[in-house]
Amino acid sequence: MSNNSDMQTTTRSLLDDLRSFDKGGFFDLGHPLLNRISESFVKAAGIGAIQAVSREAYFTAIEGLDSGTGGLPAEISGASKKHRFRDLKGETNRKSLEAMVKNTGKESMQWGLAAGVYSGLTYGLKEARGTHDWKNSAVAGAITGVALALTSEDSSHEQIVECAITGAAISTAANLLAGIF
């Protein structure tokens, strides 16, 4: 009987933690900047891992359909080969699993890096300038774009500049549109 009540207490406290996620967050590292960066990193890294695994499952299913029926359009069958994780088809299932875990970890780290850098920069710029406006978003987006470009395997000067401009444009647009919606 005590095992059941302990389980309910544990479950209830976990549910309470999940419900309070938006209120206080999971981390208290002693400074709001550190809390914000770590929470953004963990949330985005989780989303990145889920996205990477679900994308791989989708492309594996599409590839299975393509080989079984042969009736998929070229756009879909070509996309599965273009966007697949490299080295996922190993000689054994163990090698395939290792490749998927490695690539999922890399992608989740990139998502977490982007969220942590952007969140930390917007918070730091807000504190330094005393205001949160589109300029903070543009600078944070540009620096985040550069950080993401530098994590890719073949980062060139053009790609770094392109990612900086794209990051600045997207974050500025999101900041400006946030006031409308």
Side-chain angles (χ1 to χ4, degrees), residues 33 36-37 40 115-129 131-133 135-141 144 171 175:
L33 175 64
R36 188 175 183 134
I37 291 171
S40 297
V117 167
Y118 181 78
S119 182
L121 284 169
T122 55
Y123 180 83
L125 289 169
K126 177 185 167 191
E127 293 297 312
R129 294 184 62 230
T131 185
H132 179 68
D133 58 4
K135 295 173 191 172
N136 292 356
S137 296
V139 170
T144 302
S171 60
N175 183 279

Side-chain angles (χ1 to χ4, degrees), residues 61-78:
I62 291 297
E63 187 177 88
L65 286 174
D66 189 29
S67 65
T69 62
L72 285 178
E75 301 86 33
I76 295 175
S77 63

Side-chain angles (χ1 to χ4, degrees), residues 1-176:
M1 186 80 157
S2 68
N3 260 351
N4 190 19
S5 64
D6 288 342
M7 181 66 131
Q8 289 175 346
T9 304
T10 304
T11 304
R12 193 174 326 123
S13 65
L14 177 61
L15 289 174
D16 291 338
D17 284 345
L18 290 174
R19 286 184 188 124
S20 69
F21 189 64
D22 290 333
K23 296 176 188 167
F26 285 140
F27 298 102
D28 186 12
L29 301 175
H31 194 278
L33 175 64
L34 296 176
N35 295 342
R36 188 175 183 134
I37 291 171
S38 59
E39 287 179 21
S40 297
F41 180 89
V42 169
K43 289 177 187 177
I47 291 168
I50 291 168
Q51 186 266 345
V53 170
S54 62
R55 183 185 60 229
E56 179 55 34
Y58 168 77
F59 287 130
T60 300
I62 291 297
E63 187 177 88
L65 286 174
D66 189 29
S67 65
T69 62
L72 285 178
E75 301 86 33
I76 295 175
S77 63
S80 66
K81 293 182 180 29
K82 183 169 54 170
H83 291 94
R84 290 186 60 86
F85 287 140
R86 289 185 301 119
D87 304 325
L88 194 58
K89 293 292 183 186
E91 296 146 11
T92 64
N93 287 338
R94 182 175 179 210
K95 286 187 179 183
S96 293
L97 181 63
E98 287 173 2
M100 187 173 83
V101 168
K102 179 183 172 187
N103 289 319
T104 300
K106 179 182 177 186
E107 192 159 330
S108 66
M109 288 295 287
Q110 286 176 325
W111 280 63
L113 171 74
V117 167
Y118 181 78
S119 182
L121 284 169
T122 55
Y123 180 83
L125 289 169
K126 177 185 167 191
E127 293 297 312
R129 294 184 62 230
T131 185
H132 179 68
D133 58 4
W134 67 270
K135 295 173 191 172
N136 292 356
S137 296
V139 170
I143 294 172
T144 302
V146 168
L148 282 176
L150 291 174
T151 63
S152 70
E153 294 175 12
D154 57 346
S155 60
S156 64
H157 178 278
E158 291 83 17
Q159 184 184 17
I160 293 170
V161 171
E162 187 177 295
C163 287
I165 293 169
T166 303
I170 290 172
S171 60
T172 301
N175 183 279
L176 295 173

